[in-house]
Amino acid sequence: MKDSEQIKNLVERDKKHLWHPLTQHKTASSPLAIIKAKGALLWDEDGNEYIDGIASWYTAMYGHSNAYITNALTAQMQELDFVMFSGFTHKPAIELSERLIAILPDNQEKIFFNDNGSTAVEAAIKMALQYYHNKSDRRDTLIAFEAGFHGDTFGAMSASGLSSYNGPFEEFLLKVERLPVPQEDNIDVILEQLEMIATTNSCAAFVFEPLVQGAAGMKFHSAKGLNTLIKRCQELDILCIADEIMTGFGKTGKNFASDYLENKPDIMCLSKALTAGMFPLSITSCTQTIFDAFLSDEVAKGFFHAHTFSAHPLGCAAAISGIELLASEEILERRAYIQKEHEKFVAQVSNHHKVKNARSLGVILALDLDTKMDRYGKLRDELYQFFMSRGVNLRPLGNTVYVLPPYVIANEQLDKIYTTILELLET
Ligand SMILES: *Cc1c(COP(=O)(O)O)cnc(C)c1O
């Protein structure tokens, strides 16, 4: 086959052997074959161009195929491609740990590597359970928010409150008690629920997405309320796990959503923008106190959890470059610009009769359409098609349209996203 023929019918060839995630293959429309990505743009096999308004699930924050990062990856793979991380260490992992500790909340001291978001949460939960086990204090319950999302492996799935797809696995999940998210007016009620849960169960950890619940539809909650909950959990000796897989690396306006909190989480989970969308890698960070509870003359008190590709040097190299870009003048300027434009757009559409609850935080913008619809139902597909046919990749969650663009998005590309949303509101 000639190259051009090979590329031409990617979608047809896809259908033969591929099984896509989150897809009902009987009814789903064909996927789109993307053959190139650069900056905030994607191109399909027919040459159509799309603005990546959600940075490919909020990963590619410094733009696709960013030369600063691809150059670092190229240099790294010519020097040291991969080596196992048990018994060996390497410079990219060490340097990344130093860079991260410098920007993470002050209480974070240790960096544990995994290879995707779900496994970062999985490791965090196992760390919390074993922390107490090592102290001969058996704890079997987790606390998590309603409608949270933490990933698709069993521990992460257990903590997730978006249960519509957990059905077949329900009886195999860990024990989890749920709290509503704190808003301005319900913190006293939630605190009472927390006391109740803590007295009737032995709770190891409270797992949460700080400030923004991504998969739930970019739902915001109160930093003050979350802070109160963390404080109370820590008084009750329940470890706090912040899942910053979506919120991390500048999206909420600060480096981490936890930077808005006075009381810091004991454990943090990072992935997605960690590697600028260039490589699957994740991190579970923790305090010295947690790490110390695994020190013992008994081997089995160590943390026996590993993934073959833990601390992959290429992922570490991408992450180091990403952290350099995050703090660069150019990216800081772009983040401030997007934040300001989002705020203007929210003010503009807030009173529109089709819009409920327009909101923004940092570079995250979301609005709920005043209509009822299923999370992955027909209307949501129509919305998706509406945006894609106009060259904008936005993937509404239920009736929530959200924008989370790469920091490097050009002014006119950002404008086009807003104009397309306005067009939708006028149809
Ligand atoms: C994406 C995400 C995860 C899961 O990460 P994967 O890499 O998809 O396993 C977990 N928590 C949050 C908040 C996420 O956004």
Side-chain angles (χ1 to χ4, degrees), residues 147-211:
F149 176 73
H150 300 287
D152 285 338
T153 52
F154 272 86
M157 191 167 50
S158 304
S160 298
L162 285 171
S163 58
S164 33
Y165 303 100
N166 288 353
F169 317 110
E170 213 72 69
E171 65 187 293
F172 305 102
L173 300 180
L174 303 177
K175 192 172 157 223
V176 179
E177 294 290 334
R178 303 231 169 255
L179 291 174
V181 294
Q183 302 300 355
E184 293 312 319
D185 52 358
N186 63 355
I187 186 67
D188 291 339
V189 180
I190 301 175
L191 276 175
E192 267 175 46
Q193 276 178 263
L194 173 61
E195 298 300 330
M196 187 69 163
I197 291 169
T199 30
T200 50
N201 299 277
S202 41
C203 299
F206 167 39
V207 189
F208 52 90
E209 290 164 275
L211 306 199

Side-chain angles (χ1 to χ4, degrees), residues 275-341:
T275 57
M278 205 74 80
F279 204 89
L281 183 80
S282 69
I283 279 167
T284 309
S285 69
C286 71
T287 60
Q288 189 70 43
T289 312
I290 293 177
F291 179 79
D292 288 348
F294 290 73
L295 300 177
S296 169
D297 293 325
E298 271 177 68
V299 176
K301 286 201 167 170
F303 191 44
F304 283 83
H305 178 102
H307 297 289
T308 306
F309 289 122
S310 296
H312 199 296
L314 299 183
C316 293
I320 293 165
S321 308
I323 292 171
E324 283 165 1
L325 289 178
L326 181 69
S328 69
E329 282 291 314
E330 189 205 336
I331 295 293
L332 285 172
E333 185 275 320
R334 294 311 301 164
R335 285 164 57 187
Y337 176 83
I338 297 167
Q339 176 163 345
K340 193 166 62 46
E341 292 300 299

Side-chain angles (χ1 to χ4, degrees), residues 58 116-118 149-151 209 243 245-246 272:
Y58 10 106
N116 65 67
S118 302
F149 176 73
H150 300 287
E209 290 164 275
D243 176 351
I245 292 165
M246 193 284 284
K272 292 205 165 109

Side-chain angles (χ1 to χ4, degrees), residues 66-358:
N66 184 312
Y68 189 73
I69 297 168
T70 55
N71 288 342
L73 274 174
T74 308
Q76 182 57 51
M77 75 176 88
Q78 285 164 356
E79 192 71 27
L80 168 67
D81 55 348
F82 173 71
V83 67
M84 55 200 271
F85 202 57
S86 195
F88 289 129
T89 191
H90 50 74
K91 188 156 158 266
I94 295 164
E95 196 174 328
L96 176 56
S97 71
E98 293 163 352
R99 297 285 183 113
L100 273 173
I101 293 299
I103 58 170
L104 282 169
D106 284 346
N107 68 344
Q108 299 298 297
E109 287 294 339
K110 293 285 174 181
I111 300 291
F112 186 87
F113 283 98
N114 312 283
D115 53 13
N116 65 67
S118 302
T119 55
V121 174
E122 209 71 25
I125 292 171
K126 285 175 70 175
M127 245 179 220
L129 294 173
Q130 192 180 341
Y131 170 83
Y132 287 110
H133 179 90
N134 282 359
K135 294 163 176 278
S136 304
D137 178 355
R138 189 179 174 278
R139 304 211 181 182
D140 62 1
T141 307
L142 302 174
I143 303 172
F145 282 141
E146 289 162 5
F149 176 73
H150 300 287
D152 285 338
T153 52
F154 272 86
M157 191 167 50
S158 304
S160 298
L162 285 171
S163 58
S164 33
Y165 303 100
N166 288 353
F169 317 110
E170 213 72 69
E171 65 187 293
F172 305 102
L173 300 180
L174 303 177
K175 192 172 157 223
V176 179
E177 294 290 334
R178 303 231 169 255
L179 291 174
V181 294
Q183 302 300 355
E184 293 312 319
D185 52 358
N186 63 355
I187 186 67
D188 291 339
V189 180
I190 301 175
L191 276 175
E192 267 175 46
Q193 276 178 263
L194 173 61
E195 298 300 330
M196 187 69 163
I197 291 169
T199 30
T200 50
N201 299 277
S202 41
C203 299
F206 167 39
V207 189
F208 52 90
E209 290 164 275
L211 306 199
V212 186
Q213 292 184 300
M218 297 296 155
K219 295 231 163 32
F220 296 176
H221 56 259
S222 145
K224 188 157 160 268
L226 178 59
N227 203 58
T228 307
L229 289 179
I230 294 175
K231 181 158 179 283
R232 190 61 194 134
C233 279
Q234 289 174 336
E235 286 165 2
L236 291 165
D237 209 19
I238 297 168
L239 296 175
C240 292
I241 302 175
D243 176 351
E244 294 237 19
I245 292 165
M246 193 284 284
T247 50
F249 302 96
K251 290 171 196 133
T252 63
K254 297 187 190 262
N255 283 342
F256 300 98
S258 296
D259 294 341
Y260 285 94
L261 306 169
E262 220 173 285
N263 292 283
K264 304 301 182 190
D266 304 285
I267 299 178
M268 291 174 71
C269 304
L270 309 171
S271 188
K272 292 205 165 109
L274 166 69
T275 57
M278 205 74 80
F279 204 89
L281 183 80
S282 69
I283 279 167
T284 309
S285 69
C286 71
T287 60
Q288 189 70 43
T289 312
I290 293 177
F291 179 79
D292 288 348
F294 290 73
L295 300 177
S296 169
D297 293 325
E298 271 177 68
V299 176
K301 286 201 167 170
F303 191 44
F304 283 83
H305 178 102
H307 297 289
T308 306
F309 289 122
S310 296
H312 199 296
L314 299 183
C316 293
I320 293 165
S321 308
I323 292 171
E324 283 165 1
L325 289 178
L326 181 69
S328 69
E329 282 291 314
E330 189 205 336
I331 295 293
L332 285 172
E333 185 275 320
R334 294 311 301 164
R335 285 164 57 187
Y337 176 83
I338 297 167
Q339 176 163 345
K340 193 166 62 46
E341 292 300 299
H342 276 0
E343 285 164 6
K344 280 199 260 175
F345 188 72
V346 166
Q348 184 184 352
V349 298
S350 275
N351 294 322
H352 194 285
H353 68 280
K354 284 190 187 164
V355 173
K356 282 188 309 187
N357 194 18

